[in-house]
């Protein structure tokens, strides 16, 4: 499949600020009056005899936020980044040793927001089949290779409504083996599945 045909070719403009806003465009976006921290993730696809798989990370248990959760390589736009795409490349190299010259940028998914006021640009890339991860244990506990066909099957996506310490929360969930993939990661995977397979 030519995945690139299913993706946005240009980085989407997701900021709806007015010209009077004083926030730095590089770091923040204003959407419907809400301030979001700009961030990006890389969705690395790797193809081999086992088929196409998505590289996910298990975040280190020592991190101050989202410890132990399953995510994509990525993070906040930093001072050294020219744009969110650079952020995705930099974070992938820092977290799992995936360098820019080992990938082909295929395109983008629509940005998604989080309840913690981040806006995330998903950058989809094809990874060279010879890629060998170098895991930064300070940030990443381990790597998961999620088969692309797993998200193609709609039966693998659940919508959960659950009580957390007296607060009712609803979210999407992919349960892959012993791994619970939820939150923004699950929403991005759902978006990619809809774009690729519908």
């Amino acid at each position: 499949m030519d995945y690139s045909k299913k993706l946005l070719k240009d980085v989407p403009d997701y900021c709806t600020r007015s010209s009077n806003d004083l926030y730095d465009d590089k770091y923040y976006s204003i959407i419907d009056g809400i301030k979001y921290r700009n961030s990006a993730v890389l969705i690395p696809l790797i193809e081999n005899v086992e088929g196409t798989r998505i590289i996910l990370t298990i975040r280190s248990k020592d991190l101050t936020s989202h410890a132990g959760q399953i995510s994509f390589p990525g993070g906040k736009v930093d001072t050294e980044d020219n744009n969110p795409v650079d952020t995705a490349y930099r974070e992938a190299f820092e977290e799992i040793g995936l360098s820019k010259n080992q990938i082909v940028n295929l395109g983008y998914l629509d940005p998604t927001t989080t309840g913690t006021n981040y806006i995330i640009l998903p950058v989809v890339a094809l990874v060279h089949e010879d890629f060998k991860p170098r895991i930064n244990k300070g940030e990443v506990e381990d790597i998961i290779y999620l088969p692309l066909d797993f998200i193609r099957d709609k039966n693998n996506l659940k919508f959960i409504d659950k009580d957390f310490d007296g607060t009712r929360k609803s979210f999407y969930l992919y349960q892959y083996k012993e791994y619970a993939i939820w939150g923004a990661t699950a929403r991005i995977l759902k978006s990619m599945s809809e774009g690729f397979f519908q």
Side-chain angles (χ1 to χ4, degrees):
M1 177 191 298
D2 184 356
Y3 307 111
S4 62
K5 290 182 178 178
K6 309 285 187 174
L7 298 166
L8 301 173
K9 300 300 177 196
D10 299 314
V11 178
D13 182 13
Y14 47 84
C15 177
T16 59
R17 74 178 72 247
S18 71
S19 60
N20 294 326
D21 287 318
L22 301 177
Y23 302 111
D24 186 336
D25 285 356
K26 180 175 179 177
Y27 302 111
Y28 296 100
S29 291
I30 308 297
I31 300 174
D32 297 330
I34 300 172
K35 181 180 177 182
Y36 293 94
R37 185 67 163 86
N38 291 341
S39 61
V41 296
L42 189 73
I43 305 175
L45 304 177
I46 188 164
E47 296 178 329
N48 55 28
V49 292
E50 298 177 36
T52 303
R53 297 177 296 163
I54 305 162
I55 300 174
L56 296 167
T57 61
I58 304 175
R59 291 171 60 83
S60 169
K61 295 180 177 66
D62 298 327
L63 292 173
T64 55
S65 64
H66 308 292
Q69 292 184 11
I70 296 170
S71 63
F72 301 102
K76 296 180 287 190
V77 173
D78 208 346
T79 53
E80 65 196 83
D81 303 325
N82 292 320
N83 52 53
V85 181
D86 282 351
T87 302
Y89 294 156
R90 174 181 56 78
E91 290 280 357
F93 182 72
E94 291 176 3
E95 293 180 17
I96 61 173
L98 177 58
S99 63
K100 190 175 177 180
N101 62 9
Q102 292 176 294
I103 66 173
V104 175
N105 185 325
L106 298 178
Y108 311 96
L109 296 170
D110 286 320
T112 187
T113 57
T114 72
T116 50
N117 289 74
Y118 285 87
I119 185 163
I120 305 168
L121 173 69
V123 182
V124 184
L126 189 62
V127 177
H128 193 279
E129 62 180 9
D130 293 335
F131 167 64
K132 303 293 184 203
R134 295 190 312 277
I135 297 175
N136 175 356
K137 288 292 187 178
E139 296 189 43
V140 174
E141 192 76 23
D142 205 352
I143 282 178
I144 301 167
Y145 291 93
L146 179 72
L148 185 61
D149 281 343
F150 182 83
I151 66 168
R152 183 176 194 163
D153 185 347
K154 293 179 182 178
N155 293 321
N156 290 326
L157 179 65
K158 310 296 181 192
F159 187 71
I160 306 295
D161 192 36
K162 191 173 181 180
D163 189 76
F164 288 92
D165 299 324
T167 303
R168 203 74 181 168
K169 293 188 178 180
S170 301
F171 54 91
Y172 288 104
L173 170 72
Y174 287 100
Q175 185 68 46
Y176 176 66
K177 298 181 178 178
E178 70 270 32
Y179 306 112
I181 305 167
W182 60 285
T185 303
R187 283 189 281 115
I188 291 169
L189 287 172
K190 176 179 180 288
S191 173
M192 187 165 74
S193 175
E194 290 170 349
F196 281 7
F197 304 120
Q198 288 185 2

